[in-house]
Amino acid sequence: MSTLVIRGGRIIDPAQAIDETGDLIVRDDRIVGIDQPVNSVDQEIDATGQIVSPGLIDTHVSFREPGFEEDETTETGTAAALAGGFTSVACMPDTFPTVDNRGAAEFITLQADRAGHCHVFPLGAVTRNLDGEELAEIGQLVEGGAVGFTDAKRPVANAEIMWRALEYTRMFDRPVLSHPQVPELVARGVMHEGFYSTLLGLKGIPAIAERIMASRDLALAERTGGRLHLMCISTEGSIDEIRRAKDRGVSVTAEVTPHHLALTDDLLQSFDSNLKVDPPLRSADHVAALIEGLKDGTIDVICSDHQPYANEKKDRELDLVPFGIVGLETVLPICIKTLIEPGHLSWSELIAKLTSGPAAVLGIDRGTLVPGSVADITIIDPTAEWTINPDGFRSKSRNSPFVGWNVRGRPTTVIVDGQVRTVADL
Amino acid sequence: MNAASELGNSLSDDWSKKHLLGLEELSADEITLILDQAAEFKRLAASGETKLGALAGTVVANLFFEPSTRTRTSFALASKRLSADTVDFSSAGSSLSKGETFVDTARNIEAMGVDLVVVRHSTPGAPHLLAKHLNASVLNAGDGTHEHPTQALLDIFTIREQRGSLKGLTVALVGDILHSRVARSNIWGLTKLGARVIVCGPSTLIPPHVEKLGVEVSNNFDEILAETDCINLLRIQFERQRSAFFPSIREYAHLFGMNGDRIKRSRKDVLILAPGPINRGVELTPDVADGSHSVILDQVTNGLVVRMACLYLLFQRRKQESAVGAPQ
């Protein structure tokens, strides 16, 4: 038996509505509680002036292994997750081959165990090879550890397949994660459709392409009773649809990324390929709607949508570069800059979107410091000032739009299953 | 070979840009400077000075990653008139088809001692990407549906030559505005020089929020004829249109084609421009293309001196830079 005491930190656990200064006690791989009497202490961490949070959870990362190890591997991806304060991540099935069978799912968890950094929960494909045509073997994927189902960046375009997917996953109580976009309206698009796409002559991706598909998915979730999670919501129209669906009692959750809060479409004037993301960066009125959605609970989760790409893939003509940016190591400071510093969310509200919110989406017993739970903890220095420099990333890729940003706040210590990891030593 | 003194160095002293990537980034004075320099070259040519030594010893690379006849030929000739050595590169049959990237290809060509790169590419921002990676100056010869600065400059030069000034003129850009880099560059140049600009075309080919660029929008060609001094008939870009923007060519020509009947209802002194290559019978009928209002061939002639002016000014800036040892 080994006892760890995290002393004097501001303990925030939204799942228990706790926000208080105290000592958090951990025994072996489990949380004991706050300010409990302890006979002997094996290890102490001084967390004075820091925030002690449940380990952060990311619902949306791509680790590229197998198939695209030049971008990221499970080892480098999970190291990046830890460096960003994440103790659990759910990774997309858009590898090559795809995670559309039990063996592929088990390979992901095996590689995560070998790496030994943080927990990885695989997401299985909704359809075989993400082709959108026939359902993957969802039941066997569940047995292989898949916590949810998604075709990643490919929306399930066929409404009947989506209907069946929501019905079928219901019997395993697993969510379907959908990237809502009408494919024919976004085809060959590069950026948000608006004034700046006109100015730059870049093909636009209209906001309603997201709203229409979100609306379809919500109607299907309502009809089937399946659990729907809408990924990377970026438009005001989608927020309206989700808000009304929640009011009707539809089983839906939704996520946003920090970059859709921090960046807008006008920045594409630089033609920087690290601003090409899917969905695209939107205009300021959409950003305001996303923040409103976070405040009123329409949006449950903030995720990184970590999309690592090797330099040679990103340093090309804008219409040839793949969509996406690395995010795991910058989620926290960008959230602080866009949500805490302007006063949009309290610390407790932000941490809920990064812990209990994603845990509920994935249906995993994490994201809380309740006594007896797994000792996954993130200790955050909320005032540490630093400059984002991709050369220091643990991720294998460098495609960040936040290079050179001066930010505040970073994780100092991450505890996974009771094992203490100092971020600076990673 | 004539001496540089023939050129009157005073103009180039006011030029400060290393690259020419678009008209958005140019001031009215800079645009006027290019037009004046082009006029100077045209005057010299008229007096028999067709071959100038200004760029002797320099190397211009023409990198065309998209098909082009007119612009490519015009740039090649402009370089030769200024005595630059030229290398031509087109993507067909090049190492691009062997998997080499655009930037690597450009770097390799630059390594052969190239001072200035003229680039045509189907991706908006491709010249900007090169400008980031190369020491050479970059001249945009058309990037996707973004900008085509030299085409707009020669359009404006042609109008100015005919009318003396752009101020107060009404210029209509007619046709496929959505897919037109010529339209975007013309909008910047014309509005900066004080012209009133109307973009006119089917509602499916007018990009959203285009009025924020300072132009008026019309979907009715007949309604604007009487108030328009110059009409620039943009080509229907069949190669960029992957879905149906209008029902048929016939219907397009009926609604937006320039024909003898519409000429009759236009101003007596209306100027007809077309960036070409023209689809005869679509954007305009042969009688209009070859008629008295047409300045289409003047545009081509002027394209040469406008491109000479652009090359010349960019090289003068490089010369000044190396003279004072300024960093790239």
Side-chain angles (χ1 to χ4, degrees):
Chain A
M1 291 242 291
S2 168
T3 302
L4 163 68
V5 179
I6 302 166
R7 291 216 188 271
R10 177 180 169 190
I11 301 168
I12 300 179
D13 184 15
Q16 304 182 79
I18 286 173
D19 183 351
E20 63 187 49
T21 300
D23 298 344
L24 182 68
I25 321 296
V26 174
R27 190 158 298 132
D28 296 331
D29 64 346
R30 296 281 156 174
I31 305 279
V32 173
I34 299 169
D35 295 339
Q36 303 275 342
V38 182
N39 293 330
S40 67
V41 176
D42 299 285
Q43 193 176 1
E44 275 192 339
I45 296 171
D46 179 8
T48 311
Q50 301 198 57
I51 289 169
V52 179
S53 160
L56 308 185
I57 302 171
D58 197 336
T59 51
H60 193 160
V61 304
S62 282
F63 281 167
R64 302 275 186 265
E65 183 186 3
F68 309 99
E69 289 85 351
E70 66 275 22
D71 301 329
E72 195 81 287
T73 62
T74 309
E75 198 280 322
T76 58
T78 49
L82 265 196
F86 291 89
T87 54
S88 294
V89 298
C91 66
M92 292 288 139
D94 56 349
T95 48
F96 182 76
T98 59
V99 182
D100 63 358
N101 62 82
R102 178 178 178 154
E106 289 177 344
F107 175 73
I108 303 288
T109 36
L110 176 65
Q111 288 299 81
D113 288 346
R114 283 175 174 150
H117 294 306
C118 75
H119 304 290
V120 175
F121 295 92
L123 295 165
V126 176
T127 63
R128 278 178 214 275
N129 199 35
L130 312 180
D131 282 340
E133 285 165 11
E134 46 184 328
L135 291 181
E137 290 171 342
I138 285 171
Q140 294 182 56
L141 277 160
V142 169
E143 289 173 15
V147 295
F149 294 88
T150 179
D151 279 356
K153 291 293 181 189
R154 300 168 80 165
V156 178
N158 183 317
E160 188 194 5
I161 304 277
M162 189 63 172
W163 181 315
R164 300 298 166 227
L166 283 160
E167 271 184 334
Y168 195 76
T169 51
R170 199 184 56 199
M171 72 180 170
F172 305 102
D173 193 24
R174 293 290 198 279
V176 174
L177 290 73
S178 168
H179 180 64
Q181 284 185 336
V182 179
E184 56 272 25
L185 290 180
V186 304
R188 294 175 301 278
V190 173
M191 69 176 292
H192 174 58
E193 186 214 35
F195 171 69
Y196 289 99
S197 65
T198 290
L199 178 77
L200 298 171
L202 290 166
K203 187 157 184 339
I205 298 174
I208 58 157
E210 180 181 295
R211 180 191 193 140
I212 293 169
M213 196 58 108
S215 171
R216 182 205 76 169
D217 287 348
L218 288 164
L220 290 171
E222 187 165 18
R223 169 62 181 80
T224 60
R227 262 172 66 198
L228 175 68
H229 177 68
L230 292 171
M231 300 193 288
C232 294
I233 289 304
S234 67
T235 72
E236 186 178 10
S238 309
I239 296 279
D240 286 347
E241 299 287 349
I242 297 164
R243 186 178 286 129
R244 279 186 283 145
K246 283 192 166 184
D247 287 345
R248 293 197 304 275
V250 178
S251 178
V252 60
T253 50
E255 65 184 31
V256 295
T257 77
H259 49 273
H260 287 103
L261 305 173
L263 306 169
T264 42
D265 62 339
D266 54 305
L267 299 170
L268 266 294
Q269 287 178 95
S270 68
F271 294 108
D272 182 347
S273 64
N274 288 329
L275 297 166
K276 184 181 171 185
V277 290
D278 179 19
L281 301 176
R282 303 287 184 184
S283 53
D285 44 337
H286 290 290
V287 174
L290 298 183
I291 289 171
E292 210 42 54
L294 280 164
K295 286 163 79 168
D296 71 9
T298 304
I299 302 287
D300 312 86
V301 169
I302 297 172
C303 69
S304 68
D305 188 13
H306 183 76
Q307 300 290 340
Y309 284 105
N311 275 350
E312 63 270 23
K313 297 184 186 175
K314 272 299 214 182
D315 209 3
R316 303 196 61 185
E317 298 96 312
L318 205 54
D319 54 358
L320 297 180
V321 300
F323 290 93
I325 57 173
V326 289
L328 277 166
E329 293 169 78
T330 52
V331 167
L332 199 54
I334 300 302
C335 286
I336 292 170
K337 202 179 192 76
T338 55
L339 297 170
I340 299 285
E341 289 177 1
H344 296 313
L345 294 187
S346 68
W347 266 103
S348 182
E349 288 167 328
L350 173 61
I351 286 176
K353 312 281 185 196
L354 294 166
T355 59
S356 52
V361 168
L362 301 172
I364 56 177
D365 58 343
R366 307 290 154 106
T368 177
L369 301 174
V370 73
S373 58
V374 173
D376 287 354
I377 303 162
T378 300
I379 304 175
I380 299 161
D381 180 347
T383 56
E385 293 186 22
W386 58 293
T387 302
I388 296 174
N389 175 6
D391 292 341
F393 284 172
R394 276 67 169 185
S395 169
K396 204 166 183 177
S397 289
R398 299 283 173 268
N399 51 313
S400 169
F402 298 116
V403 179
W405 281 41
N406 294 314
V407 291
R408 238 184 299 238
R410 70 189 313 173
T412 54
T413 305
V414 181
I415 296 162
V416 182
D417 284 337
Q419 300 291 312
V420 178
R421 311 289 298 270
T422 304
V423 169
D425 295 342
L426 279 175
Chain B
M1 297 267 192
N2 79 319
S5 60
E6 282 282 350
L7 298 172
N9 276 332
S10 57
L11 287 178
S12 62
D13 289 345
D14 296 328
W15 183 262
S16 63
K17 294 262 188 316
K18 177 179 178 185
H19 310 289
L20 178 54
L21 300 175
L23 294 194
E24 181 188 358
E25 63 191 28
L26 297 190
S27 66
D29 285 348
E30 286 170 320
I31 293 170
T32 304
L33 186 65
I34 297 172
L35 300 178
D36 290 348
Q37 185 67 56
E40 174 72 1
F41 283 132
K42 191 160 185 179
R43 189 188 62 75
L44 285 169
S47 68
E49 300 279 1
T50 52
K51 183 84 172 177
L52 306 172
L55 267 51
T58 65
V59 183
V60 175
N62 294 309
L63 308 189
F64 279 68
F65 296 89
E66 210 185 44
S68 161
T69 309
R70 181 177 326 241
T71 305
R72 186 191 176 94
T73 311
S74 183
F75 266 113
L77 190 54
S79 302
K80 288 183 170 67
R81 284 279 182 88
L82 293 169
S83 302
D85 293 328
T86 58
V87 287
D88 280 342
F89 174 93
S90 65
S91 59
S94 75
S95 50
L96 277 191
S97 47
K98 298 175 196 158
E100 188 176 54
T101 69
F102 165 58
V103 171
D104 280 334
T105 300
R107 275 184 176 148
N108 273 278
I109 291 169
E110 184 186 42
M112 298 174 196
V114 169
D115 303 290
L116 187 145
V117 170
V118 175
V119 60
R120 154 78 55 102
H121 197 289
S122 60
T123 301
H128 307 67
L129 183 64
L130 280 196
K132 207 169 78 184
H133 286 282
L134 301 185
N135 289 321
S137 290
V138 177
L139 206 170
N140 182 2
D143 60 330
T145 53
H146 179 221
E147 282 230 42
H148 190 355
T150 58
Q151 177 67 45
L153 287 167
L154 74 88
D155 293 344
I156 293 166
F157 182 91
T158 305
I159 297 171
R160 193 180 80 152
E161 191 175 47
Q162 297 284 333
R163 294 295 156 84
S165 164
L166 272 297
K167 260 200 189 67
L169 289 184
T170 297
V171 180
L173 305 168
V174 179
D176 180 355
I177 312 298
L178 180 65
H179 298 101
S180 178
R181 53 189 171 214
V182 177
R184 283 171 181 78
S185 289
N186 259 288
I187 289 169
W188 289 118
L190 290 166
T191 53
K192 284 176 189 203
L193 295 187
R196 171 185 172 222
V197 179
I198 303 173
V199 296
C200 177
S203 45
T204 45
L205 290 173
I206 303 284
H209 307 295
V210 71
E211 66 285 348
K212 286 193 201 162
L213 294 174
V215 303
E216 295 163 44
V217 176
S218 166
N219 301 126
N220 189 328
F221 195 16
D222 291 313
E223 270 181 14
I224 64 166
L225 288 174
E227 53 184 303
T228 305
D229 298 293
C230 311
I231 299 173
N232 199 338
L233 298 156
L234 305 175
R235 190 170 62 91
I236 291 297
Q237 310 231 2
F238 295 108
E239 73 277 15
R240 291 190 206 283
Q241 291 184 9
R242 294 185 175 89
S243 50
F245 286 91
F246 51 82
S248 68
I249 299 289
R250 206 175 104 91
E251 174 147 319
Y252 179 84
H254 177 68
L255 293 173
F256 297 100
M258 194 60 179
N259 52 36
D261 177 51
R262 287 200 167 103
I263 284 285
K264 276 187 215 141
R265 287 183 280 126
S266 301
R267 291 192 171 180
K268 289 209 166 6
D269 57 351
V270 69
L271 291 183
I272 301 297
L273 297 93
I278 56 176
N279 301 307
R280 281 177 184 255
V282 182
E283 298 97 15
L284 71 176
T285 51
D287 55 317
V288 177
D290 307 326
S292 60
H293 296 277
S294 168
V295 289
I296 294 172
L297 290 177
D298 300 77
Q299 287 174 270
V300 179
T301 309
N302 292 335
L304 181 62
V305 289
V306 162
R307 292 187 172 107
M308 286 171 71
C310 294
L311 290 168
Y312 176 73
L313 291 171
L314 289 173
F315 267 108
Q316 291 307 113
R317 142 83 210 240
R318 290 183 77 79
K319 233 198 267 180
Q320 288 160 12
E321 195 172 71
S322 53
V324 296
Q328 289 288 347

